[in-house]
């Protein structure tokens, strides 16, 4: 008899495919596009705006030039992603499948799983997916559970006894004596080293809320079998969200962006993150004490904040280690891990918290990744890391330009800006629709909000790298309490942001730069 479970979170995961390959453009969708662009054309033609006004042409041109750069870079990623998905990866997959049929991966598969007070129904589905992968792949599987509560341990044991009965599957429980996911991972890896796992075993890092889609073990293991230089892979990811509908749509949009970026980066045999929810590694690196110690006690030396420990971002620590080792990393697009997001309380607050955590992890690790240099990590990937730091400023150019233009030049420019946002973000969203499960006409507006909020929080975080908060891991926080350093961080934020606004105003011609005559006649009162 199946264990008693909670039924509040009913959903279905039946395949490793996320559905983005299905056709989405039908007559009704085309009609919506017609209405959307027709509305933009109506606004341009019949409502008062200053798009063609010679007085603000320089402003429009400035906005357009930055847009050409940013959207051109987006297009480069899209072309590269299509090339990887349609040409490079299918050849690898055919070789890997042929090798699997001829001589399957004969190593042990290890699941390194951490969990903390997870929802019961989610845990049931996670364990069932692991057992199903054990059954279909035919591999010997060991589940290493890093936990801090008896509740999680009892739950996992109960479901493994039920779903894993008769399977070549065993469970090892490693109880952590402190708090935090990093310590749990470190203790599990040390236990693996003591058990003398083989260098070519596959170790899957996964969270307690990541449900495996069909074929994860076979398709990842077969890639390791045909390419001995391959050290780690991360898979496709989709969200199952129990919360506000807009938040679910926002997460789907972000995962569509992720697919484009990951496939583009994989052409360079690197990715920009080994996602903590679901990534697979060749075991040889995970036995290295340097990596284990990095995961347990990663830190950064900062000129203002001194040495501070990383709270979250264990996936970024493993990524940084792999960059140091010049390891080959790939994205696997044809298998999926499903992320379960249960939103309790304000969806808006959850979005801000996620943004701040993700942005902080990116900034802290991107800084030291850049220091490795393009020769070490590859010129394209190095530029991608640098671009992540540049785009937080370039994204703020357009709202700064629109605000100063309305205040000092032309109040009707607000309509110009709205038209630009509606048109440009729909242009970007059309590329995203290929990689989402359906066409969401809220994408353009969610995309703009996503970019704006992300940029604002990155600018805030870049001067406060030591401040960290992780609400869904026991509400952990770090890096606060020094008022003098907070004052310096506030000053730097104001200084850089005011300089950005000033540069935007000068570049766009909203204000004229002071002349030498101004300084002599006004500043120094010379006749």
């Amino acid at each position: 008899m199946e264990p008693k479970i909670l039924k509040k979170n009913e959903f279905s995961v039946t395949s490793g495919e996320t559905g983005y390959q299905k056709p989405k453009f039908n007559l009704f969708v085309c009609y919506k596009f017609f209405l959307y662009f027709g509305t933009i054309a109506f606004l341009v033609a019949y409502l008062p705006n200053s798009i063609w006004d010679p007085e603000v042409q320089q402003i429009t041109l400035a906005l357009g030039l930055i847009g050409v750069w940013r959207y051109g870079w987006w297009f480069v990623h899209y072309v590269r992603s299509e090339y990887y998905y349609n040409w490079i990866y299918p050849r690898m997959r055919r070789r890997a499948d042929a090798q699997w049929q001829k001589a399957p991966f004969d190593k042990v598969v290890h699941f390194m799983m951490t969990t903390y007070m997870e929802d019961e129904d989610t845990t049931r589905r996670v364990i069932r997916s692991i057992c199903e992968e054990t059954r279909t792949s035919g591999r010997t599987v060991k589940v290493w559970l890093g936990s801090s509560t008896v509740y999680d341990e009892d739950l996992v044991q109960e479901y493994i006894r039920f779903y894993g009965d008769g399977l070549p599957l065993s469970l090892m429980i490693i109880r952590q004596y402190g708090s935090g996911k990093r310590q749990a991972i470190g203790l599990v890896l040390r236990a693996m080293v003591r058990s003398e796992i083989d260098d070519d075993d596959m170790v899957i890092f996964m969270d307690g809320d990541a449900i495996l889609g069909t074929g994860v073990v076979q398709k990842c293991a077969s890639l390791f079998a045909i390419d001995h230089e391959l050290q780690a892979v991360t898979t496709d990811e989709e969200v199952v969200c129990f919360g506000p509908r807009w938040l679910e749509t926002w997460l789907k949009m972000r995962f569509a962006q992720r697919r484009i970026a990951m496939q583009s980066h994989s052409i360079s045999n690197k990715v920009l993150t080994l996602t903590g929810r679901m990534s697979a590694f060749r075991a040889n690196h995970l036995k290295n004490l340097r990596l284990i110690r990095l995961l347990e006690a990663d830190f950064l030396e900062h000129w203002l904040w001194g040495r501070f420990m990383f709270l979250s971002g264990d996936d970024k620590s493993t990524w940084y280690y792999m960059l140091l080792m010049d390891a080959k990393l790939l994205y696997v697009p044809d298998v999926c891990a499903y992320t379960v997001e249960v939103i309790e309380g304000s969806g808006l607050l959850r979005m801000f918290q996620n943004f701040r955590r993700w942005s902080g992890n990116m900034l802290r690790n991107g800084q030291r990744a850049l220091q490795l240099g393009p020769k070490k990590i590859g010129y394209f990937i190095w530029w991608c890391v640098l671009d992540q730091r540049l785009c937080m400023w370039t994204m703020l150019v357009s709202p700064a330009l629109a605000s100063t233009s309305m205040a000092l030049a032309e109040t009707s420019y607000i309509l110009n800006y709205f038209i630009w946002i509606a048109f440009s973000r729909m242009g970007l969203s059309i590329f995203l629709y290929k990689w989402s499960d359906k066409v969401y006409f809220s994408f353009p507006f969610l995309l703009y909000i996503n970019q704006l909020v992300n940029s604002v929080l990155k600018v805030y975080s870049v001067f406060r790298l030591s401040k960290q908060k992780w609400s869904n891991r026991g509400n952990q926080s770090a890096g606060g309490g020094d008022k003098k350093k907070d004052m310096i961080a506030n000053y730097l934020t104001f200084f850089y942001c005011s300089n950005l606004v000033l540069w935007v105003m000068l570049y766009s011609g909203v204000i004229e730069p002071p002349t030498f005559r101004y300084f002599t006649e006004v500043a120094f009162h010379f006749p």
Side-chain angles (χ1 to χ4, degrees):
M1 181 178 178
E2 185 171 0
K4 183 180 179 181
I5 57 169
L6 301 176
K7 294 291 185 181
K8 65 177 182 178
N9 293 338
E10 285 304 318
F11 60 93
S12 176
V13 173
T14 58
S15 169
E17 301 292 342
T18 58
Y20 56 73
Q21 297 87 354
K22 298 177 183 178
K24 295 176 280 288
F25 292 91
N26 51 41
L27 286 177
F28 184 63
V29 170
C30 292
Y31 174 69
K32 284 186 175 181
F33 273 112
F34 175 78
L35 289 180
Y36 186 92
F37 287 108
T39 302
I40 293 177
F42 175 83
L43 294 176
V44 173
Y46 293 104
L47 292 187
N49 60 76
S50 53
I51 290 180
W52 314 116
D53 191 338
E55 294 184 3
V56 295
Q57 254 184 5
Q58 188 171 349
I59 300 173
T60 305
L61 179 63
L63 196 62
L65 288 175
I66 294 173
V68 168
W69 169 35
R70 297 309 311 166
Y71 304 141
W73 181 238
W74 184 292
F75 185 69
V76 167
H77 277 305
Y78 182 78
V79 171
R80 285 171 59 94
S81 72
E82 288 289 324
Y83 181 62
Y84 179 79
Y85 184 77
N86 292 296
W87 294 94
I88 295 178
Y89 184 76
R91 290 200 295 269
M92 286 192 291
R93 175 48 56 209
R94 286 192 293 269
R95 285 179 54 218
D97 289 346
Q99 177 66 25
W100 185 271
Q101 295 298 325
K102 179 181 177 182
F105 183 78
D106 59 352
K107 302 296 181 180
V108 178
V109 177
H110 305 265
F111 284 92
M112 198 292 301
M113 177 181 169
T114 58
T115 185
Y116 177 77
M117 300 299 292
E118 195 57 70
D119 175 78
E120 183 178 348
D121 191 54
T122 300
T123 300
R124 177 182 69 88
R125 293 176 183 275
V126 170
I127 297 304
R128 186 171 66 179
S129 70
I130 292 175
C131 294
E132 284 300 316
E133 285 301 292
T134 304
R135 180 176 291 106
T136 56
S137 68
R139 302 301 92 203
T140 299
V141 170
K142 293 184 178 181
V143 178
W144 302 76
L145 177 67
S147 71
S148 59
T149 66
V150 175
Y151 168 80
D152 291 316
E153 295 166 3
D154 289 345
L155 209 57
V156 171
Q157 286 185 87
E158 180 183 4
Y159 291 139
I160 281 185
R161 278 196 297 266
F162 180 79
Y163 291 114
D165 185 37
L167 295 177
L169 186 151
S170 56
L171 171 66
M172 276 64 69
I173 297 175
I174 293 85
R175 171 73 69 83
Q176 66 184 102
Y177 48 80
S179 62
K181 181 182 177 184
R182 284 180 173 273
Q183 187 189 84
I185 295 175
L187 289 172
V188 169
L189 292 182
R190 290 176 184 274
M192 286 183 179
V193 171
R194 291 194 297 271
S195 72
E196 299 182 351
I197 65 174
D198 190 85
D199 283 353
D200 286 325
D201 283 357
M202 185 173 75
V203 181
I204 295 178
F205 277 35
M206 62 181 295
D207 282 350
D209 60 355
I211 302 172
L212 306 179
T214 304
V216 165
V217 169
Q218 176 181 333
K219 292 193 175 183
C220 291
S222 60
L223 291 174
F224 284 111
I226 64 168
D227 188 352
H228 293 285
E229 292 183 1
L230 182 61
Q231 301 301 320
V233 299
T234 191
T235 67
D236 185 24
E237 192 173 343
E238 188 57 277
V239 64
V240 179
C241 181
F242 299 97
R245 181 63 60 85
W246 69 266
L247 191 64
E248 179 183 19
T249 306
W250 169 67
L251 289 168
K252 287 180 178 293
M253 181 199 69
R254 285 188 60 88
F255 284 129
Q257 289 178 294
R258 179 182 183 272
R259 292 178 186 115
I260 293 175
M262 285 288 192
Q263 291 174 159
S264 172
H265 300 151
S266 290
I267 291 182
S268 301
N269 291 327
K270 293 288 188 292
V271 291
L272 287 196
T273 183
L274 290 166
T275 309
R277 293 287 173 84
M278 167 65 217
S279 292
F281 297 81
R282 196 181 293 274
N284 60 330
H285 284 296
L286 301 181
K287 296 165 63 177
N288 190 322
L289 184 60
R290 183 180 180 185
L291 171 60
I292 296 173
R293 193 58 189 150
L294 189 68
L295 280 167
E296 289 176 330
D298 202 358
F299 66 90
L300 189 68
E301 293 279 0
H302 191 268
W303 68 269
L304 176 60
W305 300 103
R307 174 178 290 196
F308 60 88
M309 309 301 292
F310 291 173
L311 184 62
S312 61
D314 54 277
D315 53 340
K316 286 290 189 180
S317 296
T318 53
W319 169 73
Y320 176 67
Y321 172 86
M322 290 298 177
L323 291 184
L324 285 172
M325 297 294 105
D326 194 23
K328 183 176 181 179
L329 315 173
L330 286 179
Y331 170 73
V332 184
D334 58 347
V335 286
C336 185
Y338 293 83
T339 300
V340 181
E341 290 282 356
V342 180
I343 310 300
E344 297 178 353
S346 170
L348 191 62
L349 179 61
R350 180 65 172 270
M351 182 183 76
F352 276 97
Q353 290 172 342
N354 284 346
F355 263 137
R356 187 172 176 186
R357 180 163 57 88
W358 296 336
S359 298
N361 291 337
M362 184 277 290
L363 291 167
R364 283 184 285 272
N365 289 275
Q367 176 177 322
R368 60 186 186 180
L370 286 173
Q371 294 171 354
L372 296 177
K375 290 185 179 180
K376 179 72 172 179
I377 66 176
Y379 285 89
F380 185 83
I381 295 299
W382 186 86
W383 174 255
C384 288
V385 177
L386 178 61
D387 182 71
Q388 286 186 329
R389 301 179 75 87
L390 292 177
C391 70
M392 69 182 184
W393 296 105
T394 57
M395 175 55 211
L396 297 178
V397 169
S398 58
L401 188 58
S403 301
T404 55
S405 301
M406 287 184 290
L408 302 177
E410 179 61 59
T411 55
S412 65
Y413 202 80
I414 182 63
L415 183 58
N416 296 28
Y417 188 58
F418 175 79
I419 292 170
W420 166 254
I421 294 302
F423 181 79
S424 62
R425 270 48 179 193
M426 177 54 83
L428 296 180
S429 297
I430 288 174
F431 292 106
L432 293 177
Y433 292 145
K434 162 69 184 298
W435 302 103
S436 64
D437 58 343
K438 67 178 184 179
V439 175
Y440 297 91
F441 277 83
S442 57
F443 266 20
F445 308 103
L446 288 174
L447 180 60
Y448 176 73
I449 294 171
N450 179 84
Q451 292 171 329
L452 183 60
V453 173
N454 197 22
S455 294
V456 169
L457 289 179
K458 281 181 180 178
V459 169
Y460 176 84
S461 299
V462 76
F463 302 109
R464 301 164 180 82
L465 291 179
S466 68
K467 294 194 173 184
Q468 304 163 70
K469 188 174 179 64
W470 203 359
S471 60
N472 60 342
R473 286 280 174 179
N475 205 28
Q476 302 172 61
S477 61
D482 194 321
K483 292 184 178 180
K484 290 183 179 179
K485 291 181 178 180
D486 286 340
M487 289 177 62
I488 296 173
N490 292 337
Y491 166 76
L492 289 173
T493 306
F494 174 78
F495 177 78
Y496 276 84
C497 290
S498 59
N499 272 274
L500 174 69
V501 173
L502 180 61
W503 177 85
V504 166
M505 294 169 70
L506 291 171
Y507 176 73
S508 62
V510 172
I511 61 173
E512 295 293 332
T515 63
F516 180 75
R517 182 181 180 84
Y518 169 82
F519 283 108
T520 58
E521 292 186 358
V522 179
F524 300 104
H525 305 288
F526 288 167

